[in-house]
Amino acid sequence: MRPTKKLGQNFVHDANTVRRIVTASGVRPEDVALEVGPGLGSLTLALLPAARSVTAVEVDPTLAGRLPTTVHEHAPSLADRLHVVEADAMRVRAKELGPAAPTVLVANLPYNVAVPVVLHLLAELPSLRCGLVMVQQEVAERMSAGPGGRTYGVPSVKAAWFAEVQRVGPVSRSVFWPVPNVDSGLVSFTRTSPPSTTVSRAEVFRVVDAAFAQRRKTLRSALSSWAGSGAEAERLLLAADVDPRARGEQLRVSDFTRIAEAAATP
């Protein structure tokens, strides 16, 4: 078996690191843990004694086929707690994961798919109450950023729709095989209720995407294509009690929700 760049594979091999991840994830004995990209199984072996069961989603057929054998070799008494699903985590559906709904997400995510995977799973699996993911440090900063900072953007706002997100700490490059060229970090999330609104999440996210497509521009200008014109964008922003001269990085998810609601009002 060889790690592939195409799948962004960098496997964690340090026992202390995987124990740290499991502890920080908040997984409880009654939890069904969802692991994305188990790879060689080091994190899986740390999760099995901590959770009621582990559902491992692996897109690589070779690794998916090998994982049950690895668990039988190293933790035979816990092998019946493992359920392996060969699937793409960005497209997997709840019904594919079996009858036990996952309650906590714990994963070492490839850098190029980390944000879409987390957002897809939070949307697809309302049973997820919390989680901890290991991602590229830059991605960790973007996911957990608050309004006003240069790292605050689309990932920050969309993650905030689903959960409270926090950075937990850095991870050394040396715990991976092969050693990556970027630093990594841990990000935790705790599910929260989305903003109370009369519009759909998709409608709100369209506003978010438009606002940050040209993040250096004012909202009046950035939202002009979405609204149909600069004048209409200004009208909707004022109706939502948002300054048309503001920029997307200054708004919270609740502000974007009000803008979407204003657009939906006859």
Side-chain angles (χ1 to χ4, degrees), residues 32-118:
V32 175
L34 175 63
E35 183 185 5
V36 173
L40 301 179
S42 57
L43 181 55
T44 313
L45 291 169
L47 278 169
L48 285 169
R52 174 162 62 95
S53 64
V54 175
T55 299
V57 177
E58 175 58 66
V59 70
D60 187 322
T62 301
L63 295 176
R66 172 64 190 180
L67 187 59
T69 302
T70 299
V71 172
H72 273 286
E73 290 174 350
H74 295 276
S77 64
L78 302 175
D80 61 345
R81 297 187 183 185
L82 176 67
H83 174 53
V84 180
V85 178
E86 185 184 326
D88 183 346
M90 284 198 294
R91 297 176 177 83
V92 71
R93 298 299 174 189
K95 63 182 180 181
E96 300 176 60
L97 301 179
T103 55
V104 57
L105 171 66
V106 186
N108 168 28
L109 296 175
Y111 301 147
N112 57 331
V113 299
V115 171
V117 164
V118 171

